[in-house]
Amino acid sequence: QVQLQQSGPGLVKPSQTLSLTCAISGDSVSSNSVAWNWIRQSPSRGLEWLGRTFYRSRWYYDYAVSVKSRITINPDTSKNQFSLHLNSVTPEDTAFYYCTRDRGSYYPFDYWGQGTLVTVSS
Amino acid sequence: DIQMTQSPSSLSASVGDRVTISCRASQGISSHLAWWQQKPGKVPKLLISAASTLQSGVPSRFSGSGSGTDFTLTISSLQPEDVAIYYCQKYDSAPWTFGQGSKVGIK
């Protein structure tokens, strides 16, 4: 059974970097048949996919246009986890953040982390 | 990017009523559409994939139909435990996008 355990601060100051980690059990971050995603949810923006990373002989990354200039998703094979870094945050980035897994294009997300509420405020 | 538009944004119906939610994609996505149910404070739960495939353990009163650009989620007999927000989501190719949600309540 795959489990995704999120960790990271719930409060970030404006202009700083939001960083969250998703620890994977029951699968490998470097599996060549799945992808690892970050999604967020807020009342104003609804459910918004932010980006993903996946390994197919090398690492690939896809990012949403809305955050492309500010986002980095990093896999960490030594700890079997992946992370989200979103820089230059504003109050608009306040949201629940989720990590998820999918089995590639043509498959929906099948596992979700528990969610982390991140508030951007001074 | 392909946009997903749901209607209605909210509805109230009586227990036992048939409820229908629509989802329209701005471009064709074949049958690569999922329906999610989200209850307050919970992670979204997958109800239907491939537009019409009911996930294991999901009550048979839920059904999905459609392909291309127009999709429908139907609850054949609304139950109190179905109070939730329902989202459609395309997953043919990145970026994955969700509809804005349809809130279902009981009259």
Side-chain angles (χ1 to χ4, degrees), chain B residues 15-32:
Chain B
V15 173
D17 280 356
R18 182 182 185 88
V19 167
T20 299
I21 298 169
S22 297
C23 176
R24 175 165 287 180
S26 59
Q27 297 175 41
I29 58 170
S30 185
S31 295
H32 303 302

Side-chain angles (χ1 to χ4, degrees), chain A residues 37 39 41 46-49 52 62 64-65 98 102 104-110 112-115, chain B residues 1 32 34 36 38 42-44 46 48-50 87 89 91-100:
Chain A
N37 304 265
I39 292 167
Q41 184 174 29
L47 281 160
E48 180 184 17
W49 174 80
R52 66 175 179 170
D62 288 319
V65 169
Y98 297 97
D102 70 71
S105 289
Y106 309 136
Y107 292 95
F109 306 123
D110 54 3
W112 294 61
Q114 80 275 23
Chain B
D1 294 350
H32 303 302
W36 299 86
Q38 188 176 32
K42 301 293 188 182
V43 173
L46 182 63
I48 288 169
S49 63
Y87 297 93
Q89 179 229 335
Y91 56 90
D92 58 326
S93 61
W96 318 136
T97 51
F98 294 82
Q100 78 278 20

Side-chain angles (χ1 to χ4, degrees), chain B residues 3-7 22-26 69 71 88 98-101:
Chain B
Q3 305 303 313
M4 307 300 293
T5 304
Q6 286 181 236
S7 62
S22 297
C23 176
R24 175 165 287 180
S26 59
T69 60
F71 303 87
C88 62
F98 294 82
Q100 78 278 20

Side-chain angles (χ1 to χ4, degrees), chain A residues 24 29 38 84 95:
Chain A
I24 302 163
V29 71
W38 286 99
L84 167 70

